[in-house]
Structures are given as structure tokens and as C-alpha cells.
Amino acid sequence: MMRRIAKTVVAGVLALGLAACEDTAGPGGEATMRVSARGDGGPAASRVAGDGTAFSQALGSAEGTVEFRARVYVRTEAGSWVELTRRSAERVTVDASGRGEAKAFATAGVRATGYDRVRVVFEDVKANVTGGIRIGTGVLSGLVTVDLRSDGRTVVERGVDVELAAGGSAELLIDLNADAWLNQASAQSNTVSEAAFESAVRVTAR
């Protein structure tokens, strides 16, 4: 009798373990998703806001760095959200001009399935502008901060189209589009509105 009970308990534990593994990989297996960021993604003449609206003003080109902290999530086509960062905001520093390679800052194993949306929760966004850029309100230089709301965070969501097969991989590229929002800053207060930052950021999958 005791042996039968023991076997039943062991079988139950093994079943739970297998169920947990299947839940992690999903029915399609497991894949990898990486997150990278860059300060700016293209020539000033072609830069657009995240919603596709072109900026009409003549843009100055920023030199320096942009630093931020962020948590990144992706949504499956079934509607569930998965965090790609390690349950905390990752700190990242990139070249404001966008020169050089994008900087990878998060990698996670995910289910091999389709993903249709990305959510980036930004904290503590600031740029260190060297040399100065001429904008509509004057010459902008030094430390420039994004004026976040009282909770100190801003959320950017963008649609993507990612289909991952088992063993496959994809990269989410966060383009801060720094010149676009820095050109909307106040040269007197060295701040940028949260709305200007949110509308400028782009996210693409590759």
C-alpha cells in the first residue's frame, strides 16, 4: 500500500515538472529574442515620429550620449505579455547620433510563436549633449532630461510582426530617434516633454 502511494506521489511530481517545461517552451518549442537600442537611426531629413508623422522643422544633429533605464515586454498573438528584461529596468547608454552598432541589453528565451506588440517602460531618460545644437528655442547643450510624470516612467507601445520558429531568433531594435525630441526641447530649462519623447521613439523587429 505504501509503495503504491509513493509511486503515485512520484508520478504526480514528474507530471508537474513536465507540465512546467511544456509551459515554458510552449507547443511550438523555444526561441530567442534580443533587445537592442540606438540613439538615432537615420539622416535628419528622413526622420519621423513613432506614429509616422514627419517633423517639419529643420533638425540639428545631436552629439553626445543618451542614457535610460527600461523594461521591455512583448505580446503574443494570443494576447499574453512576456518580459524580456530580468524583472527590473536595465540601464543603457547609447551614442545620441546613432553612429556605430546598436547596443544589445536584454536576451530572453521565449515561446516559438507569433508576437504582435512591444511595450517599453522607460525610466530616467536623459541626454548629455556635447558641443551644442541649434534648435528653435536657442542653443541646447549639457544635460537634457525628459520631463516624466510623477511616477517617473513613460510607456511606449508599438506594433510589430514577429513569427518565431523553434530554435529561431529575432531582435527588437529600439530607435530613440534622439534628434527628433531633442529638437523639441527647451534650451532654457534643458527639458523635453514626455509627449515629444514618446511620439519620436520607434521599435522595429529584425
Side-chain angles (χ1 to χ4, degrees):
M1 180 66 176
M2 292 299 295
R3 287 182 179 178
R4 285 200 298 271
I5 293 173
K7 287 181 179 178
T8 302
V9 171
V10 170
V13 171
L14 288 173
L16 286 172
L18 289 173
C21 290
E22 289 169 359
D23 184 64
T24 300
E30 189 171 345
T32 303
M33 196 172 290
R34 183 173 68 170
V35 185
S36 301
R38 64 184 175 194
D40 213 291
S46 65
R47 287 178 190 140
V48 295
D51 61 3
T53 304
F55 288 96
S56 59
Q57 66 190 100
L59 299 178
S61 182
E63 297 291 334
T65 59
V66 178
E67 182 179 313
F68 64 91
R69 297 174 65 232
R71 297 178 72 170
V72 183
Y73 306 81
V74 287
R75 189 180 70 183
T76 68
E77 291 175 341
S80 59
W81 288 93
V82 179
E83 182 170 4
L84 302 179
T85 40
R86 294 171 289 189
R87 297 186 180 180
S88 62
E90 298 287 340
R91 185 174 295 279
V92 188
T93 302
V94 295
D95 188 317
S97 70
R99 286 191 290 268
E101 296 295 322
K103 181 172 291 186
F105 66 92
T107 303
V110 297
R111 293 183 181 182
T113 186
Y115 296 87
D116 62 9
R117 199 158 184 83
V118 178
R119 176 185 294 161
V120 187
V121 183
F122 286 97
E123 304 174 13
D124 192 25
V125 184
K126 54 192 174 186
N128 184 19
V129 179
T130 58
I133 56 174
R134 184 167 296 281
I135 61 176
T137 56
V139 176
L140 188 70
S141 64
L143 187 65
V144 182
T145 59
V146 176
D147 187 12
L148 303 179
R149 290 187 286 260
S150 58
D151 62 358
R153 299 176 181 179
T154 188
V155 179
V156 171
E157 285 196 19
R158 299 287 183 259
V160 292
D161 183 10
V162 178
E163 288 291 337
L164 281 174
S169 63
E171 180 183 25
L172 298 175
L173 178 60
I174 301 171
D175 181 357
L176 298 176
N177 206 7
D179 280 355
W181 48 271
L182 285 172
N183 272 269
Q184 298 182 71
S186 165
Q188 287 70 46
S189 64
N190 272 38
T191 59
V192 180
S193 73
E194 182 177 18
F197 175 78
E198 283 182 1
S199 66
V201 174
R202 292 175 290 188
V203 182
T204 55
R206 59 183 186 178

